[in-house]
Amino acid sequence: VSMVYFEQAASVFEYPGTSRSSGPEQAQLDRTAYLKSVNETTITASAPASCMHDEAAKAAILGVAALSRFLRSAKYETSDELRFLAHLSLVPGLPDPPSPDLLKAYVSHLVDAKALGLVALYVSVLGPEDRVETYVKVCLVTDHGEDRSLVYNLGASYFPDQMEEVLSAAVGSTILSDAEPYAAKLSSLEWLTFDDCYALELLSKSNLLLRQLMSRGLFETSQSLLVTHLPPHTVQTIRDMVSSGGSGAGLRGEASSAIWEHESLAAGVVALGKYTLWKETHARVAAADAKEGGGGQTQDEQDLLGDEAEGLSKEERVIMAKMKAREKRLKTSEKVRELVGVAAEAIKALQNVLLYDGGYLKYTSPPGVASDDAEEMDRAAEISSLRSDLVPLFVNMLLHVNATMGVYASEKSYLKAAIDLAVVVARPETCILECLKAEQVREFLEKVAEASVKYVGL
């Protein structure tokens, strides 16, 4: 009767993924076949064992309880012996689970041998906690797209109920590690893209990474995350899950909070990107402007001023001629039209975050989530810190764009917007003033005063 177990073990390579095995793993089939061929006439229960294979056969003849004791006490010295013992651990019906250390050692051996198609099978024999811990480690050392797909699909086949816990732990561990480069952190999000059922966890982990990146001023990397590493349908998938009812309905508060955070952070990334583009464009146009001599100096003053030159001093005529030349160039220059367009986009994006409903990144814990939960406390603290850093930055950026464009384009509307920003900052519903320190308020008002003087001078 015990030989039936060996027959079942010998067919283990019919499990999903094991068809990819070769070399030593295929040779293991021959070892198991040897055990199938023994019977009580060739090895008796009382006969001395000559090798590990005979010991296993002897235990099997006594029954699965003896085989289980053998597996828990057997010692291996070579990779062949490790492979043999791990293979026997798959025999169904063992009353006691195999040694976790034995299976973990073999899983490490399989990973080193790049035999990823077999890993999930052996991990599935472990207890629940060891299973998660071991497969997380497998995920952490698997960094190629095809390999990740294989590891994910087999894990989802053997222990589907634990895969979200595995993937969440693997991605979270990578993001929080100080030793991992940001390229690896971005890449780790791929683990949560294999199935839409992980959409909420994917968004939560991408938010975690975005907070980390933005707090360190890595805005280009933040933009890369949003554009390249987060599928564009993620938010809609979560909304569909929640609206469809069932288990998704219970995530309504958590989902709404994650989506709010994502959209807030994304709006901040967009604003920073638009401002950076405007700044670069302004520098390029201003440099070209300087190279051309500022415009107006090579054109006859009388042509520019007409009757307006009458009664003006020579110095006044020169100043007005330059202003008229600039106005004419502003109306015709393609570069300047580009700058005006880019400025409009930057202003709109910066206003969008500063006028955010309820205050930009002003966070409250979602319903159903305990505010004293350690993970929730960390999240709330990080969002609050990011708000304190970004809101003053956005205020200064918006003021800078309007004040600079007002002077460059000799356009009062920009300067008026710079002056009016003081009113926006002071309005209680924007919750902006609470993010500014006394020194920041003083510097801001000084810049507004400068814009006011320039406004009067135009």
Side-chain angles (χ1 to χ4, degrees):
V1 175
S2 59
M3 289 303 104
V4 173
Y5 292 101
F6 286 121
E7 291 173 2
Q8 292 173 341
S11 64
V12 74
F13 285 86
E14 296 175 4
Y15 283 94
T18 56
S19 60
R20 295 172 179 261
S21 62
S22 60
E25 299 305 331
Q26 189 63 37
Q28 182 57 59
L29 289 174
D30 299 332
R31 298 294 181 88
T32 310
Y34 162 80
L35 295 177
K36 287 172 61 179
S37 69
V38 302
N39 53 54
E40 292 188 18
T41 61
T42 55
I43 300 179
T44 67
S46 59
S50 58
C51 66
M52 180 178 286
H53 309 100
D54 288 346
E55 290 180 18
K58 177 181 175 180
I61 290 172
L62 294 175
V64 289
L67 182 59
S68 181
R69 288 194 297 272
F70 162 75
L71 283 171
R72 294 191 71 83
S73 62
K75 305 296 183 184
Y76 62 89
E77 294 182 359
T78 66
S79 59
D80 285 341
E81 291 175 345
L82 171 62
R83 184 181 298 109
F84 175 75
L85 294 173
H87 194 71
L88 286 186
S89 298
L90 299 172
V91 172
L94 294 176
D96 298 311
S99 165
D101 293 338
L102 169 69
L103 289 170
K104 289 178 183 179
Y106 188 53
V107 166
S108 297
H109 173 76
L110 291 173
V111 171
D112 292 341
K114 304 298 181 184
L116 297 176
L118 294 169
V119 171
L121 170 62
Y122 287 96
V123 172
S124 69
V125 184
L126 290 165
E129 291 186 8
D130 286 327
R131 189 181 304 151
V132 170
E133 177 189 346
T134 303
Y135 217 59
V136 165
K137 291 179 180 178
V138 173
C139 292
L140 290 175
V141 297
T142 306
D143 56 4
H144 297 292
E146 291 185 4
D147 289 344
R148 283 180 173 178
S149 179
L150 174 64
V151 168
Y152 166 74
N153 286 326
L154 291 175
S157 173
Y158 284 108
F159 33 91
D161 294 340
Q162 291 181 287
M163 277 308 290
E164 182 168 1
E165 183 181 359
V166 167
L167 299 179
S168 177
V171 175
S173 173
T174 303
I175 291 174
L176 295 174
S177 172
D178 293 332
E180 292 289 350
Y182 286 109
K185 297 184 180 191
L186 290 170
S187 176
S188 71
L189 294 173
E190 181 186 17
W191 285 111
L192 292 165
T193 65
F194 290 119
D195 195 302
D196 283 347
C197 70
Y198 307 130
L200 180 54
E201 186 61 24
L202 170 61
L203 193 65
S204 297
K205 286 296 185 285
S206 71
N207 288 343
L208 171 62
L209 182 52
L210 269 176
R211 294 197 301 270
Q212 187 181 107
L213 293 170
M214 294 178 73
S215 68
R216 298 175 186 180
L218 300 173
F219 303 126
E220 288 187 11
T221 309
S222 300
Q223 191 170 28
S224 174
L225 187 161
L226 293 170
V227 173
T228 308
H229 298 276
L230 186 68
H233 65 270
T234 302
V235 170
Q236 188 57 50
T237 298
I238 296 171
R239 289 191 170 119
D240 291 343
M241 289 169 55
V242 172
S243 62
S244 64
S247 60
L251 300 173
R252 190 179 302 277
E254 184 181 350
S256 297
S257 180
I259 292 172
W260 167 85
E261 182 183 354
H262 163 75
E263 291 179 341
S264 300
L265 294 173
V269 172
V270 169
L272 291 162
K274 295 292 186 183
Y275 172 79
T276 301
L277 179 60
W278 168 79
K279 193 174 180 181
E280 293 171 351
T281 305
H282 174 258
R284 173 166 50 81
V285 172
D289 208 15
K291 189 174 182 181
E292 293 168 4
Q297 294 182 11
T298 60
Q299 197 167 357
D300 186 78
E301 291 176 8
Q302 189 62 43
D303 291 341
L304 289 166
L305 301 179
D307 295 338
E308 294 181 56
E310 188 175 348
L312 296 177
S313 67
K314 182 177 180 180
E315 183 178 293
E316 289 172 333
R317 285 199 302 272
V318 170
I319 293 173
M320 183 168 285
K322 288 183 178 181
M323 291 178 62
K324 290 288 184 179
R326 179 181 289 268
E327 288 175 6
K328 183 176 180 180
R329 184 175 53 78
L330 288 174
K331 294 177 181 177
T332 58
S333 170
E334 184 176 338
K335 293 193 297 291
V336 174
R337 284 199 297 272
E338 177 192 2
L339 177 60
V340 170
V342 171
E345 292 185 5
I347 290 170
K348 182 179 179 181
L350 288 164
Q351 287 176 335
N352 182 42
V353 291
L354 289 175
L355 298 177
Y356 221 78
D357 186 28
Y360 183 69
L361 286 181
K362 195 169 177 65
Y363 177 70
T364 55
S365 296
V369 177
S371 59
D372 59 351
D373 175 79
E375 187 174 335
E376 176 63 15
M377 290 175 68
D378 288 343
R379 180 189 181 206
E382 288 174 9
I383 292 175
S384 177
S385 176
L386 199 56
R387 168 175 162 77
S388 298
D389 291 340
L390 290 181
V391 170
L393 182 64
F394 290 144
V395 169
N396 285 325
M397 285 178 172
L398 183 55
L399 181 61
H400 183 211
V401 175
N402 278 315
T404 302
M405 290 300 296
V407 174
Y408 184 81
S410 299
E411 178 58 58
K412 279 193 169 186
S413 62
Y414 286 115
L415 291 170
K416 186 176 186 306
I419 297 166
D420 290 345
L421 184 56
V423 178
V424 175
V425 168
R427 275 167 29 199
E429 60 268 27
T430 63
C431 304
I432 294 174
L433 200 55
E434 65 188 47
C435 295
L436 302 179
K437 299 175 182 177
E439 181 65 19
Q440 290 173 322
V441 172
R442 186 184 64 77
E443 292 176 358
F444 168 70
L445 292 176
E446 286 177 355
K447 292 176 182 177
V448 170
E450 290 175 8
S452 300
V453 172
K454 291 172 183 175
Y455 179 85
V456 173
L458 280 183

